[in-house]
Amino acid sequence: MTMRQTIPFLLAFVSIPPILAFTPPKSHNIIYSNKLAPLSLPSSSKPPPLSRSLTVLSSAKVLPVAYASASAALLYKATIKLNTSSKAEIAVLLSTSALSLINFAQLDNAKLKSAKIAYTENTGPSSSGRAKQERQAALTWKSVVRIKIIGNVLGLLRMCFATKMVGLMRGAAIIMGGNLAFLACGAGRANHNDEGKWEPMPSDSFKAYIVKFAAMFVAALIASFSPVDSLKCNVAAGFFTVGALGGINEALS
C-alpha cells in the first residue's frame, strides 16, 4: 500500500467514534481482573421503572389540584348567584363544591394510587390460580378507577360551565353516571385497599353504593328535565344535595 493510499485509510479509522469502535457486544461479558462481570443487574436488585414512578407521582399531584380547582369554581359560582338563583341551585353548588374537595380529592386520589401499585405488582405473567385472579383484579381495578375519575371530572366541568339549572343538574347526573359505571364494570369484585392489596368489596356495601348512586343519578335527571323552581325540581335537587352531604360525611369519617 502506497503512502497516498494509507493516509485516507488512517483518517477513516481515526474518524470512527471510540464508543462505536470499542463497544463490546451486548451478549458478551466484560472481564475485570480475570473475573466475569455481568452487564445487567440481577432481576431482584433492579429498581422499579422510572416511568411508572413518575406517573404515580404526577397523578398524585395533579388530581387533587383539579378537584380543588373545580371546588373553588363551584363555590365562586354559588356566591355570585346567591341573590339571583333558587335555594335548591345554591345548595347543589355548595354541596358539590364540598364533595369535590373533601371526598373526590381524597378518596379518588387514594384509589388511583392503589390502582397504580396493584398494576405494578400484580400484572406479571400468570396462567392459573390466585396469581391469575390477582392479575385480572388489578387490571380491572385500574380501568374502573379511570372510568370513575373521568366521569367525575367531566361532570364537574359541566357544572362549572353551566349557566342554568338544567346544565348544572346534567353535570351532576354525569358524575353519578360515572360512579354507577365504576361499580357496574367490576369495582366491587376488583376493589383494592390503599396499599394496593386485592380486597373485594362486601356485597352489602356494594348494594348500598349501587342504590345510593342510582337514586342520585335519577334525582339529578329529574331535576334537569323539570321546570326551574318547580316542586319536582326542588325536591329532586334537594335529594341530590342530601346524597352529596352523605359522601362528604363518608370521607370525614
Side-chain angles (χ1 to χ4, degrees):
M1 183 180 293
T2 64
M3 181 63 67
R4 182 174 297 178
Q5 294 172 330
T6 304
I7 291 174
F9 173 79
L10 292 175
L11 290 175
F13 180 79
V14 172
S15 64
I16 298 176
I19 191 171
L20 297 179
F22 301 104
T23 301
K26 293 183 178 179
S27 60
H28 291 182
N29 291 324
I30 303 174
I31 300 179
Y32 295 102
S33 303
N34 299 324
K35 294 182 179 180
L36 290 177
L39 290 176
S40 59
L41 294 174
S43 58
S44 59
S45 61
K46 286 184 179 180
L50 180 60
S51 59
R52 289 183 179 177
S53 300
L54 291 177
T55 301
V56 175
L57 182 61
S58 61
S59 300
K61 290 182 177 180
V62 171
L63 194 59
V65 172
Y67 281 140
S69 299
S71 174
L74 292 175
L75 180 61
Y76 175 74
K77 184 188 262 313
T79 57
I80 62 176
K81 285 191 167 190
L82 192 59
N83 297 322
T84 59
S85 298
S86 65
K87 294 181 180 179
E89 182 176 354
I90 299 301
V92 169
L93 286 169
L94 292 177
S95 61
T96 309
S97 172
L99 183 69
S100 178
L101 182 63
I102 298 173
N103 185 299
F104 295 166
Q106 175 185 335
L107 300 186
D108 282 9
N109 199 44
K111 286 181 174 63
L112 183 61
K113 286 182 179 179
S114 73
K116 297 289 185 180
I117 295 171
Y119 181 80
T120 301
E121 295 183 353
N122 299 323
T123 54
S126 56
S127 58
S128 62
R130 174 77 178 183
K132 183 178 181 180
Q133 294 177 353
E134 289 182 348
R135 181 179 186 274
Q136 186 57 51
L139 293 172
T140 302
W141 184 239
K142 181 183 178 182
S143 298
V144 297
V145 167
R146 287 181 174 180
I147 291 173
K148 183 181 190 301
I149 291 172
I150 290 172
N152 286 344
V153 171
L154 291 178
L156 289 170
L157 285 175
R158 183 69 177 91
M159 295 180 75
C160 289
F161 289 100
T163 57
K164 298 180 180 179
M165 183 70 166
V166 173
L168 184 71
M169 296 312 300
R170 287 180 182 174
I174 292 173
I175 293 175
M176 291 301 109
N179 281 269
L180 278 174
F182 165 72
L183 294 175
C185 291
R189 174 65 177 167
N191 183 67
H192 285 65
N193 60 23
D194 292 347
E195 288 73 35
K197 303 300 181 183
W198 186 26
E199 192 175 279
M201 190 182 300
S203 59
D204 291 343
S205 299
F206 179 79
K207 292 177 183 178
Y209 280 121
I210 283 283
V211 171
K212 174 185 174 180
F213 293 152
M216 293 178 68
F217 175 74
V218 171
L221 283 181
I222 291 174
S224 68
F225 286 105
S226 301
V228 178
D229 282 340
S230 66
L231 178 61
K232 184 186 296 185
C233 178
N234 290 337
V235 170
F239 188 90
F240 178 86
T241 299
V242 171
L245 294 176
I248 296 169
N249 181 66
E250 176 189 354
L252 294 176
S253 60

